[in-house]
Amino acid sequence: RIRWTQDVENLQIQYDNITGDILLSSGVVAYLGVFNAAYRSEAVQHWSEQLTAKGITCAETFSLSECLGEPVVIRDWIIAKLPNDSFSIDNAIMLQKSKRWPLMIDPQKQANKWIRNKEAPRGIKVVKQSQQNFVRTIENAIQFGTPILLENLPEVIDPILEPLLQRAIISLGGVKTIMIGDNAVPYEDSFQFYMTTTMPNPHFPPETCVKVNLLNFVATVEGLEDQLMGVTVSQERPDLEKQSEELVMQDANNKRQLKEIEDTILKLLAEAEGDILEDEELINVLQESNVTSKQIGKAVEKAKRVKKKVDDARRAYTSIASRVANLFFCISALSQIDPMYQYSLEWYIGLYLLAINKAEKGNNLSERLHEL
C-alpha cells in the first residue's frame, strides 16, 4: 500500500509538470540543437527559472530523454552505434521530433555511422553534392520512399534542393508531388532526408539555418570514453564484449515485447464494448499477456544482474578509456595551431587498436600504452 501511494504521488508530480516540461522540450528541440551541452544546460536552467516565476511548474532536473524519449527506441539507436551519452541521445530525440530535415555537424562521422546503421534495413542511399547524379538519386529516393544521406555537405547547399528543404509538397491530380528543378516528383511519405557535414565550425547562411534542424554531433568526452571502453574491452576481453552486446540486444527485445503487450491491452480495452468482464476474447488475451509479461519480467531481472557483473568487469578499463579520450581532444586541438593538423576519430581509433596489438603482450594494458 505504501508503494502504491508513492507511485500515485509520483504520477501526480509528473502530471503537474507536464505543461512546463513540454514547454522546455519544445524550446530544446526548436532552438538548442546546434549548441554544446554546457550551453544547453544553462539555457534550460534559465527557462526553468522563468517558468517557475510565472507559476508554471516543471521538473527540478529536466531531462529531454525522460520527457520525450522512448527507452525501447533509444536502445535500438544505441545498438545502431549511436554514442551512448546523454548529449548524443538528446540529439537523436531532436532529430526524431523535429519536422525539419536534420543537418548534422559531424566532424568525427559518428552521426553518419549511426544513420547508415539505423536506416540500413530500408536500403539507405548515400550521396555527395559533388556527384553528378546526386539529384537523380534523390529524386528516385523521394519517389520510392528510400532514406537519403547527403554527406560531406559544404556551406552552400545546391539551390535545386530548396523545395525539399522547405517541404514544398503540392498535390497534382490527387498525388503528393514535389518540384526538384523542372521535374515534378511523386512524394512518398516514408521518405527521409539526412544531411551531414564534417566541418567542425561551419558557417551556413541564415536562410539555410531556418530551413533545417541543425544538430551538433561533435564528439563529447563522455561519449568517446564509452566508445573507447568498448574498443578496449573488445581487444582485451572479447568474451566480455560479446556478452555485453548480447545483453543489449536481449534487453531491447524484452522491452519491445513488453511495450507491444501494453499497446495490445490498451487497444483491446479501448475497443471493448459493454461489460469487459464478459468479453471472453479480451480476458484470454489478458491472461496470455500476463503470463508472457511475467516471463519477460524475470528475463529482464536476470539480464540486469548479468549486466551489473559485466559493467563491473568493464569498469577496470575506465581510466584507460578516459586517458585515451582526453588525448584525442588534445590532438584535435592541434588544428587551432595549424589547419594541416586534421585527424579523424576513425584514424585515431585505428591507431589505438594498432598500439594495443603491436605492444608487448606480457605487460598489462596500462603498462603497454605507457611504454608506447
Side-chain angles (χ1 to χ4, degrees):
R1 183 175 296 179
I2 293 174
R3 184 176 179 180
W4 180 82
T5 303
Q6 291 174 343
D7 290 342
V8 172
E9 290 176 353
N10 291 335
L11 286 172
Q12 183 62 44
I13 292 172
Q14 293 175 7
Y15 177 78
D16 292 339
N17 293 339
I18 284 178
T19 302
D21 287 351
I22 292 301
L23 277 172
L24 290 175
S25 299
S26 301
V28 171
V29 173
Y31 300 112
L32 299 185
V34 71
F35 298 105
N36 58 28
Y39 187 90
R40 290 182 190 179
S41 298
E42 184 179 347
V44 169
Q45 180 62 32
H46 178 70
W47 292 346
S48 299
E49 293 172 358
Q50 293 294 315
L51 289 175
T52 303
K54 298 293 184 181
I56 303 174
T57 60
C58 58
E60 292 183 6
T61 305
F62 173 79
S63 170
L64 185 67
S65 60
E66 291 183 5
C67 187
L68 295 183
E70 301 176 44
V72 174
V73 176
I74 292 173
R75 184 65 67 180
D76 288 340
W77 291 340
I78 294 172
I79 292 172
K81 303 305 180 183
L82 175 73
N84 190 13
D85 61 280
S86 58
F87 183 74
S88 299
I89 291 172
D90 285 354
N91 282 338
I93 293 173
M94 293 181 211
L95 182 150
Q96 180 193 47
K97 299 298 182 182
S98 177
K99 291 186 177 180
R100 292 178 290 180
W101 298 125
L103 199 171
M104 292 161 274
I105 302 170
D106 186 32
Q108 288 83 29
K109 297 186 177 181
Q110 296 188 106
N112 188 300
K113 182 178 181 181
W114 168 57
I115 293 297
R116 285 171 180 256
N117 292 334
K118 183 174 78 77
E119 296 290 1
R122 298 180 56 207
I124 186 171
K125 302 296 182 182
V126 181
V127 295
K128 297 180 178 66
Q129 193 168 277
S130 57
Q131 295 176 348
Q132 293 183 353
N133 65 337
F134 94 97
V135 175
R136 183 59 183 168
T137 304
I138 292 177
E139 289 177 353
N140 290 335
I142 293 172
Q143 183 174 357
F144 296 105
T146 305
I148 276 285
L149 172 59
L150 181 60
E151 63 179 9
N152 296 346
L153 199 67
E155 291 182 343
V156 178
I157 300 178
D158 195 314
I160 201 170
L161 298 178
E162 189 73 13
L164 182 58
L165 297 182
Q166 294 183 348
R167 292 182 183 252
I169 301 170
I170 58 177
S171 179
L172 292 179
V175 178
K176 289 184 178 180
T177 307
I178 191 168
M179 298 298 298
I180 303 296
D182 296 330
N183 298 328
V185 181
Y187 185 89
E188 178 62 39
D189 288 333
S190 59
F191 169 74
Q192 291 291 327
F193 186 45
Y194 305 95
M195 295 167 282
T196 62
T197 178
T198 55
M199 293 182 288
N201 189 27
H203 294 82
F204 294 107
E207 55 269 23
T208 297
C209 295
V210 299
K211 296 169 188 170
V212 299
N213 182 20
L214 272 173
L215 295 172
N216 185 353
F217 268 91
V218 177
T220 63
V221 175
E222 180 185 5
L224 187 54
E225 282 181 6
D226 186 82
Q227 187 174 347
L228 288 169
M229 188 182 298
V231 171
T232 307
V233 174
S234 67
Q235 295 296 308
E236 295 294 302
R237 293 284 304 276
D239 59 320
L240 199 64
E241 186 63 14
K242 181 180 178 181
Q243 190 176 8
S244 178
E245 291 180 359
E246 289 175 352
L247 281 172
V248 170
M249 296 289 289
Q250 182 182 353
D251 187 40
N253 187 49
N254 289 336
K255 289 183 177 179
R256 187 183 297 108
Q257 288 186 52
L258 283 174
K259 189 176 187 304
E260 289 173 356
I261 290 171
E262 292 171 358
D263 292 342
T264 300
I265 292 173
L266 290 174
K267 180 176 181 293
L268 290 173
L269 288 173
E271 295 175 351
E273 298 179 357
D275 188 356
I276 60 173
L277 297 177
E278 296 180 359
D279 191 329
E280 187 174 347
E281 180 184 0
L282 176 58
I283 292 173
N284 290 336
V285 172
L286 288 172
Q287 289 176 343
E288 292 174 3
S289 299
N290 185 41
V291 173
T292 305
S293 62
K294 285 182 178 180
Q295 293 174 348
I296 294 175
K298 291 179 181 179
V300 169
E301 290 300 321
K302 182 180 178 181
K304 284 181 180 178
R305 291 193 296 269
V306 177
K307 185 177 184 299
K308 186 178 184 303
K309 293 180 181 179
V310 172
D311 289 343
D312 290 341
R314 281 167 56 96
R315 236 175 251 118
Y317 301 94
T318 301
S319 60
I320 296 169
S322 177
R323 188 187 311 172
V324 177
N326 284 311
L327 181 59
F328 170 75
F329 286 101
C330 290
I331 293 174
S332 297
L334 291 175
S335 61
Q336 299 177 13
I337 300 174
D338 193 306
M340 70 173 288
Y341 297 115
Q342 301 283 345
Y343 302 101
S344 69
L345 180 59
E346 185 178 1
W347 169 85
Y348 183 75
I349 291 177
L351 184 63
Y352 177 51
L353 287 172
L354 182 64
I356 294 175
N357 295 326
K358 289 288 185 181
E360 184 181 350
K361 297 295 183 180
N363 302 327
N364 63 44
L365 181 59
S366 297
E367 292 175 348
R368 279 186 265 148
L369 292 176
H370 181 71
E371 290 173 0
L372 288 172

